[in-house]
Every structure is written in structure tokens, then in C-alpha cells.
Amino acid sequence: MTVRFEPDMRSAAAHPGAPLYFAVQAGELLVQTEDGVTRFPTEPPPGTEHLLGSLGSRACVGIDVEDAEPTGHLRRVGLRELHGLVSDLDWSLASRAVQIVAWDHNHRFCGRCATPTEPD
């Protein structure tokens, strides 16, 4: 069985399955570890959402979480530390989330005229 990630720009609500959330804070991922298993949050922490695409019927959403101490049982991990703790597919999606959030932070103004950019 082959699992494919599809760049799908419909809204997250348009997908029938439960979304996969990849929360990014200060360039690192927020994860929870329970019984030696590392997982991504099942509920989205507050922040700016970026639709990454879909995995089957599930939307994949990167979330830019404000810099503050992680709440509850979440902790921050870098991509290097995360490698090997989650599947290769989840790691690739997490990496994409980190890239998209960083891109959004670094491109808030037009590089030519300095006008603030807006999501479209």
C-alpha cells in the first residue's frame, strides 16, 4: 500500500477526516510523549494555521504557535531530535510545516516595495 501526500488547497474543514496538526513554535515541533510513543497534538493549539495539503481524507495543518512555554503535556523538539521518533512520512510533514511557518515569518513584506503581504 502506498500512502501519498497531496498538495490540496481546500480548507481543512473541507476534508472529511480528522486533521493532522503540526504545531511549530520557535522553529521546533510541539509533541507529546506517552508510554515511549511520540505523537503530534490531536487538538490544535492557538496560532496561525497553514494548510499543507492532505493525506488521504485528512487535512495536514501546520500551526504557527506563539513563543511561550508549551502548555499541558506538550514539549518542543527540533527536527533532528524528532527523526526516528515518528514515521518517515510524519517527519516529512513536520519538516514541511517548519518550512512553511518559517517562510511566512520571513516574507511578511514584499521584497520589492515593502508593502505588507496578505494571505491569499
Side-chain angles (χ1 to χ4, degrees):
M1 179 174 131
T2 302
V3 179
R4 289 186 46 140
F5 172 73
E6 297 289 334
D8 184 351
M9 294 302 110
R10 297 178 291 164
S11 72
H15 294 80
L20 296 170
Y21 296 109
F22 300 91
V24 180
Q25 186 180 59
E28 297 182 316
L29 280 299
L30 293 178
V31 298
Q32 56 193 35
T33 303
E34 220 174 282
D35 297 326
V37 177
T38 300
R39 293 186 177 93
F40 296 101
T42 54
E43 293 296 320
T48 304
E49 293 188 6
H50 301 279
L51 186 61
L52 306 173
S54 64
L55 187 61
S57 65
R58 302 179 78 179
C60 297
V61 181
I63 302 175
D64 183 3
V65 179
E66 290 185 21
D67 292 340
E69 282 300 310
T71 59
H73 48 283
L74 296 176
R75 66 183 180 99
R76 283 196 311 223
V77 297
L79 284 170
R80 285 183 187 221
E81 182 182 348
L82 187 64
H83 194 266
L85 297 177
V86 296
S87 71
D88 287 347
L89 179 61
D90 283 349
W91 187 88
S92 294
L93 291 168
S95 175
R96 174 73 57 94
V98 169
Q99 292 169 6
I100 295 295
V101 166
W103 185 91
D104 187 55
H105 272 273
N106 294 327
H107 294 85
R108 294 187 181 222
F109 298 93
C110 174
R112 183 173 184 175
C113 68
T115 302
T117 58
E118 296 178 21
D120 183 13

